Amino acid sequence: GSLVAAVLAHSGRLDKEDLGTRIGRLSRRVEELKAGPGAGRAGGGGQQPQGSLLPAVGDGVPALPPLQGEVCTMINKKYSEFLPSVQSAEELVSQVDGLSRNIDLLRAGIETEVQRDLNVAVAEFTELKQQLERDTLVLSVLKKLQEFDTAIKEYNTALLEKKYVAAAQQLEKARSSLKMLESRKGFELKILKALGTELTVQTQNMLYHLGEEWQKLVVWKLPPSKESSSLESVMHSELHLHTVPSKEEELAGPPVASVLQAFAVLGELHTKLKIFGQLLLKYILKPLILYPSLQPFTEEQSDVFILRFKSEGPDLDHSSPMEVFDKIKLVFEVLHKYLLNVPLEQPAEDKKECRVTLAALLGGMIWEELSDCLIQNCLVNSIPTNSSKLEQYIEVIKSTEEFEKALKNMQFLKGDTTDLLKYARNVNSHFANKKCQDVIVAARNLMTSEIHNTVKITPDSCVALPRLPDPEAGDHLKMQKTCKLVHKDTGTLENETKLSQYTFSLPTCRISSSVEKLMELAYQTLLEATASTDQCCIQLFYSVRNIFQLFYDVVPTYHKENLQKLPQLAAIHHNNCMYIAHHLLTLGHQFRYRLTNILCDGAATFVDLVPGFRRLGMECFLAQMRVQKGEILERLSSARNFSNMDDEENYCAANKAIRQVLHQLKRLGKVWQDVLPVNVYCKAMGTLLNTALTEIVTRIAALEDISAEDADRLYSLCRTMVEEGPQVFTPLPEEDKNKKYQEEVPVYVQKWMTFKELMIILQANLQEIVDQWADGKGPLAAEFSAAEVKSLIRALFQNTERRAAALAKIK
């Protein structure tokens, strides 16, 4: 038994052939042991008796020694011990043979009968399982159809009893059941389409009843749409709330709660509330912000609450933020009390934190637009325009905080800080931005105003500003005392020649009044910057720089046509640019130590703008000068080159050209009179007169033949220029003061003496011309070259020996 168990444990199965073979080998070994060591062999005394392993004593065989006898005893003992094991092994072989036969029979039975029955059972089980799944699906579908039907029935009952929340919930249950049915793929029913149609019809029916109830509870009386933007039309806007609860309703809950909760269950509350919020903004909240005289007026009756408007107080442009906040707070308090303090869903016992009121939902919809309107139309206008009023703005900040706190208590707002309060608290930045914007707008308006409105600037003129205190007055006094001591000791080193007090002053001229106001605006803005915070100071300083950069870009473009056509405006613009450049030289230095430390390190300067403004003024005036030169040359071109003056027609043409040039110069002299500085005026007029004289000299010197009559008439034309030319110099309105400048014409007209020498040549004889030349040292040689003089002599005199002699002396 132990052997069989060991075999089974080792192999896990019975192998009859292997076990039989082993048992057979064991049996043969036993037989060999039984036959003895001499079995099958020939021995000396014949065969030994069977069953005895030792030779018999007394058969003629000598007795074994004692050791050999002990061995035989041991062998017999071992044999007697091994014999039972052999017998049990034989029995085991027979048992194994029987067990092997039983195994073969069992295997054959399993392969023939049990396997067939097992396949049949598996097929039956699979079929039953599929049938169960179908039955379960059918049962679940029938259950959902039953739930849908029950929900529709309960919905109809609740709707008849005006239990809108319960009716809406039943509709949602029916919708959930229908979605579950529609989600089962491979099990589509034709009835689902009909159920969906029925659900849609019932939902619309429910929404219709809720809409009717909502229109009864909240009634808007609005003006005609065409008149909704005026104050008079807003006065006709009214909101009637039929939500004042009676005693029975106070116990059962207000009807507005059930209507709004039903809307929420159906998912339509957002749409209804959005429409209500837009009407509230358009006809109540925004008018209260835009019209300062508009006041909300409330009236409570037995079953209705009325909100309407009345107009009180003066018609101001803007109302203070405190007044606007009070008006809007009153409106929200009314709405919160009679309409909006409604939970959107019934809170569960363990989920009271999920309670959300209608006020919070409405606030989330309209607050962003309302706060933008409050900022753009209320807080922006309340930002002070002067830094001295910034301290008073603290009241506005406190009022804004109280306003938002009240709205948060009514749950219109969440606990976070809103853009409205952030804007109010950031007043310094807004003040700087508003101030800079106002400065730029004012500057642009001045730049686009008329240039010809002028004021007179004298060396004594200065910008009307209060005197700035010296930031280092103590050091300045010490320095003065030190200077006095030095002067006492070193008085001989002092320079007796002193500069005039007007040395660095702008000369007398006329500038546009708008430019004077522009410079005053720049000074006032910088003065404002000295009393502002660091950030505001920096912004205001760079706004002043932007003013001048804007002038550089705007004025030449905006007034381009007039500056090209009108000489007077070109002169005024020249003066304007020089005036601005003159002030920019010292503007930064005057305020340097009064501005913030960031600007005191050298950034507060305008000197870099000076070359640009000077160039801007000169380019405009030089362009006008080129235009005037072109007109002078064009007029002289009609003089027919001053040739053949003995022809009356040619003489008239030349005389007309001379008169036109003088007329043009006189007109310019009057236009620029008292506008340009005297030195600029004289240089400009001298340049134009010089252009005319140069052209006349060039044309006459180029003539090849000048008769005596021609010479007389040319002399007459030149005398007209000499006599009337100086009269165009009238820089001052006072006629007697202009004589000084008319006498100084040779200083400003480069070709004046050349012109006079030409006149002398036209009337002189050969000897006088030679004397004027004086071997290249006379006045004639100073103005004309030898070739030009020879050309004139050849044109004026006939070819004689005297002319040849004279020409020989000109070298």
Side-chain angles (χ1 to χ4, degrees):
S2 62
L3 180 60
V4 172
V7 171
L8 292 174
H10 176 71
S11 62
R13 62 185 179 87
L14 291 176
D15 190 343
K16 63 179 184 178
E17 294 179 356
D18 184 47
L19 186 59
T21 302
R22 292 182 181 182
I23 293 174
R25 287 200 303 267
L26 184 61
S27 299
R28 286 192 298 273
R29 181 60 178 163
V30 170
E31 291 297 331
E32 292 176 358
L33 291 174
K34 286 182 179 180
R41 298 179 184 178
Q47 292 184 351
Q48 295 293 336
Q50 186 177 2
S52 175
L53 298 175
L54 301 173
V57 179
D59 289 337
V61 180
L64 296 171
L67 180 59
Q68 190 175 6
E70 292 177 1
V71 172
C72 290
T73 303
M74 189 187 328
I75 291 173
N76 288 330
K77 184 180 179 181
K78 291 292 182 180
Y79 175 78
S80 61
E81 291 176 356
F82 181 70
L83 185 61
S85 298
V86 172
Q87 292 173 353
S88 63
E90 291 175 348
E91 292 175 0
L92 182 61
V93 168
S94 62
Q95 290 177 5
V96 169
D97 290 337
L99 182 59
S100 177
R101 287 190 298 272
N102 291 336
I103 289 173
D104 292 337
L105 293 174
L106 181 60
R107 179 183 295 171
I110 290 174
E111 290 177 352
T112 57
E113 296 179 4
V114 176
Q115 186 68 35
R116 182 179 68 250
D117 295 341
L118 184 60
N119 292 335
V120 173
V122 169
E124 291 178 355
F125 175 76
T126 303
E127 184 178 356
L128 290 174
K129 182 180 179 183
Q130 293 174 353
Q131 184 64 36
L132 179 60
E133 290 177 352
R134 287 195 297 269
D135 293 344
T136 303
L137 180 59
V138 171
L139 183 61
S140 64
V141 170
L142 293 175
K143 185 177 180 181
K144 291 298 177 182
L145 289 173
Q146 183 186 12
E147 291 177 0
F148 183 89
D149 183 66
T150 303
I152 293 297
K153 289 180 180 178
E154 292 181 0
Y155 152 76
N156 288 321
T157 303
L159 186 61
L160 291 174
E161 297 175 358
K162 292 189 176 182
K163 296 180 179 179
Y164 296 117
V165 177
Q169 291 173 348
Q170 293 302 324
L171 274 182
E172 288 303 305
K173 287 182 180 179
R175 182 174 285 104
S176 177
S177 300
L178 184 59
K179 286 183 178 180
M180 186 66 70
L181 291 172
E182 292 174 347
S183 66
R184 297 191 180 279
K185 298 180 180 179
F187 199 85
E188 291 81 4
L189 295 175
K190 294 182 180 179
I191 194 176
L192 295 183
K193 186 175 182 180
L195 294 180
T197 304
E198 178 65 18
L199 181 62
T200 302
V201 171
Q202 296 301 331
T203 302
Q204 295 301 319
N205 183 36
M206 177 76 177
L207 292 175
Y208 173 77
H209 283 83
L210 290 176
E212 292 290 323
E213 291 292 336
W214 175 252
Q215 289 181 0
K216 293 177 183 177
L217 294 171
V218 179
V219 181
W220 287 92
K221 292 186 177 181
L222 304 176
S225 59
K226 295 181 180 179
E227 303 176 358
S228 60
S229 60
S230 63
L231 177 61
E232 292 75 11
S233 63
V234 172
M235 293 290 293
H236 299 293
S237 302
E238 294 183 6
L239 175 60
H240 292 223
L241 300 177
H242 295 271
T243 56
V244 180
S246 60
K247 293 182 179 180
E248 295 80 7
E249 291 173 342
E250 287 180 354
L251 298 176
V256 67
S258 62
V259 172
L260 293 173
Q261 286 178 1
F263 272 127
V265 173
L266 294 177
E268 293 293 327
L269 180 61
H270 188 276
T271 303
K272 289 292 180 183
L273 203 58
K274 186 176 182 180
I275 297 173
F276 176 80
Q278 292 301 318
L279 292 173
L280 187 67
L281 282 170
K282 183 176 181 180
Y283 294 102
I284 293 181
L285 299 178
K286 287 187 177 180
L288 288 175
I289 299 172
L290 297 175
Y291 303 111
S293 62
L294 201 64
Q295 299 291 334
F297 177 69
T298 60
E299 180 181 354
E300 183 175 354
Q301 299 178 2
S302 59
D303 60 342
V304 65
F305 182 88
I306 302 174
L307 177 63
R308 57 169 62 100
F309 296 108
K310 58 182 179 180
S311 183
E312 294 181 352
D315 189 10
L316 302 175
D317 292 336
H318 307 290
S319 56
S320 67
M322 287 74 78
E323 296 175 356
V324 174
F325 291 157
D326 290 340
K327 296 176 189 177
I328 296 178
K329 194 189 305 180
L330 173 62
V331 174
F332 279 124
E333 288 173 352
V334 168
L335 294 176
H336 185 265
K337 180 178 179 181
Y338 293 101
L339 180 65
L340 301 179
N341 191 19
V342 176
L344 298 183
E345 58 187 42
Q346 295 291 344
E349 293 182 359
D350 56 341
K351 292 185 179 180
K352 291 186 178 181
E353 69 275 8
C354 296
R355 180 185 178 99
V356 180
T357 62
L358 191 66
L361 186 59
L362 179 64
M365 290 180 180
I366 69 172
W367 175 249
E368 183 176 356
E369 188 173 353
L370 178 61
S371 61
D372 287 343
C373 185
L374 283 169
I375 291 172
Q376 299 299 329
N377 299 284
C378 183
L379 290 182
V380 167
N381 300 322
S382 66
I383 298 296
T385 56
N386 196 311
S387 58
S388 61
K389 298 180 181 179
L390 281 174
E391 296 180 359
Q392 302 175 5
Y393 198 79
I394 297 177
E395 298 180 4
V396 177
I397 298 176
K398 291 181 179 179
S399 177
T400 306
E401 292 176 348
E402 294 173 357
F403 174 67
E404 289 194 356
K405 184 178 181 181
L407 295 187
K408 289 173 184 175
N409 292 336
M410 292 183 282
Q411 298 184 346
F412 278 97
L413 290 180
K414 297 180 181 180
D416 302 333
T417 303
T418 65
D419 293 339
L420 186 69
L421 187 56
K422 288 179 181 178
Y423 185 91
R425 288 175 176 172
N426 200 15
V427 60
N428 287 325
S429 176
H430 299 315
F431 163 74
N433 293 336
K434 182 179 181 181
K435 184 70 178 179
C436 294
Q437 183 180 359
D438 292 344
V439 167
I440 294 297
V441 170
R444 187 175 180 84
N445 291 335
L446 290 173
M447 295 173 198
T448 54
S449 61
E450 295 296 336
I451 299 179
H452 62 266
N453 295 326
T454 62
V455 293
K456 194 168 186 176
I457 297 297
T458 64
D460 296 324
S461 301
C462 62
V463 180
L465 278 181
R467 183 178 180 83
L468 290 174
D470 191 346
E472 300 176 354
D475 296 340
H476 184 63
L477 291 176
K478 292 178 182 178
M479 188 173 65
Q480 283 184 345
K481 292 179 180 179
T482 304
C483 291
K484 289 181 180 178
L485 294 174
V486 170
H487 287 320
K488 288 180 181 179
D489 296 336
T490 59
T492 56
L493 298 178
E494 183 179 358
N495 190 357
E496 296 180 358
T497 304
K498 295 183 178 180
L499 294 175
S500 169
Q501 60 176 337
Y502 302 124
T503 300
F504 298 105
S505 298
L506 194 71
T508 302
C509 63
R510 283 193 172 272
I511 64 170
S512 300
S513 59
S514 60
V515 170
E516 184 183 42
K517 293 176 182 177
L518 185 70
M519 189 54 63
E520 290 179 358
L521 175 65
Y523 274 93
Q524 292 290 350
T525 305
L526 288 175
L527 190 61
E528 183 82 20
T530 61
S532 303
T533 61
D534 288 354
Q535 181 62 33
C536 182
C537 177
I538 294 172
Q539 286 185 255
L540 290 176
F541 171 78
Y542 282 103
S543 291
V544 176
R545 283 187 60 93
N546 290 338
I547 288 176
F548 298 116
Q549 291 172 349
L550 191 66
F551 183 96
Y552 191 90
D553 295 330
V554 169
V555 173
T557 304
Y558 186 83
H559 300 282
K560 181 178 181 180
E561 186 176 352
N562 289 333
L563 293 178
Q564 290 176 347
K565 292 181 178 180
L566 305 176
Q568 185 183 34
L569 294 189
I572 294 173
H573 177 66
H574 167 270
N575 296 345
N576 291 342
C577 293
M578 296 303 171
Y579 176 79
I580 292 174
H582 177 76
H583 279 276
L584 292 181
L585 285 170
T586 58
L587 182 60
H589 178 74
Q590 295 177 58
F591 290 91
R592 178 179 178 183
Y593 296 106
R594 302 299 302 171
L595 299 173
T596 180
N597 293 332
I598 300 175
L599 297 174
C600 286
D601 295 333
T605 181
F606 296 89
V607 177
D608 57 309
L609 302 177
V610 171
F613 271 91
R614 288 177 174 173
R615 184 171 56 254
L616 182 66
M618 287 189 296
E619 286 179 352
C620 176
F621 190 69
L622 290 177
Q624 185 60 229
M625 288 288 290
R626 286 191 291 271
V627 172
Q628 298 301 324
K629 283 184 178 181
E631 292 181 1
I632 290 174
L633 296 176
E634 184 179 359
R635 289 185 169 92
L636 290 177
S637 65
S638 63
R640 302 185 181 182
N641 292 329
F642 295 95
S643 62
N644 299 325
M645 287 293 100
D646 53 351
D647 186 347
E648 193 66 28
E649 186 175 349
N650 289 351
Y651 176 75
C652 291
N655 187 49
K656 181 180 179 182
I658 294 293
R659 290 296 176 185
Q660 287 178 343
V661 170
L662 290 172
H663 176 73
Q664 176 185 344
L665 293 176
K666 288 179 180 179
R667 179 173 56 83
L668 278 177
K670 291 295 183 184
V671 166
W672 288 342
Q673 185 183 74
D674 201 35
V675 172
L676 288 171
V678 172
N679 62 330
V680 177
Y681 176 96
C682 292
K683 288 180 181 179
M685 294 302 299
T687 301
L688 294 177
L689 181 57
N690 187 71
T691 299
L693 297 182
T694 302
E695 181 69 11
I696 294 173
V697 169
T698 302
R699 299 252 178 136
I700 294 176
L703 295 175
E704 295 181 356
D705 185 18
I706 303 175
S707 65
E709 187 177 357
D710 290 344
D712 292 339
R713 290 194 169 185
L714 287 174
Y715 179 81
S716 176
L717 294 175
C718 293
R719 186 178 59 194
T720 302
M721 289 294 297
V722 171
E723 291 176 353
E724 299 185 15
Q727 297 178 10
V728 303
F729 286 79
T730 55
L732 302 177
E734 301 83 358
E735 289 295 335
D736 54 338
K737 294 183 179 180
N738 291 327
K739 292 181 180 180
K740 171 186 175 183
Y741 305 104
Q742 293 172 358
E743 293 172 354
E744 295 176 352
V745 166
V747 177
Y748 305 110
V749 183
Q750 184 180 1
K751 293 292 184 179
W752 184 258
M753 297 309 297
T754 303
F755 194 74
K756 281 198 166 186
E757 288 297 324
L758 177 63
M759 292 175 63
I760 293 173
I761 292 175
L762 291 174
Q763 289 295 302
N765 54 37
L766 283 173
Q767 186 58 42
E768 290 175 345
I769 294 175
V770 172
D771 293 342
Q772 284 289 107
W773 181 257
D775 294 331
K777 298 178 182 179
L780 181 59
E783 306 299 334
F784 288 97
S785 65
E788 289 174 336
V789 174
K790 289 180 179 181
S791 177
L792 285 172
I793 291 174
R794 291 190 182 99
L796 287 168
F797 299 95
Q798 294 180 357
N799 189 5
T800 62
E801 293 181 0
R802 291 184 60 197
R803 190 185 80 171
L807 289 174
K809 295 179 181 180
I810 306 298
K811 55 184 178 179

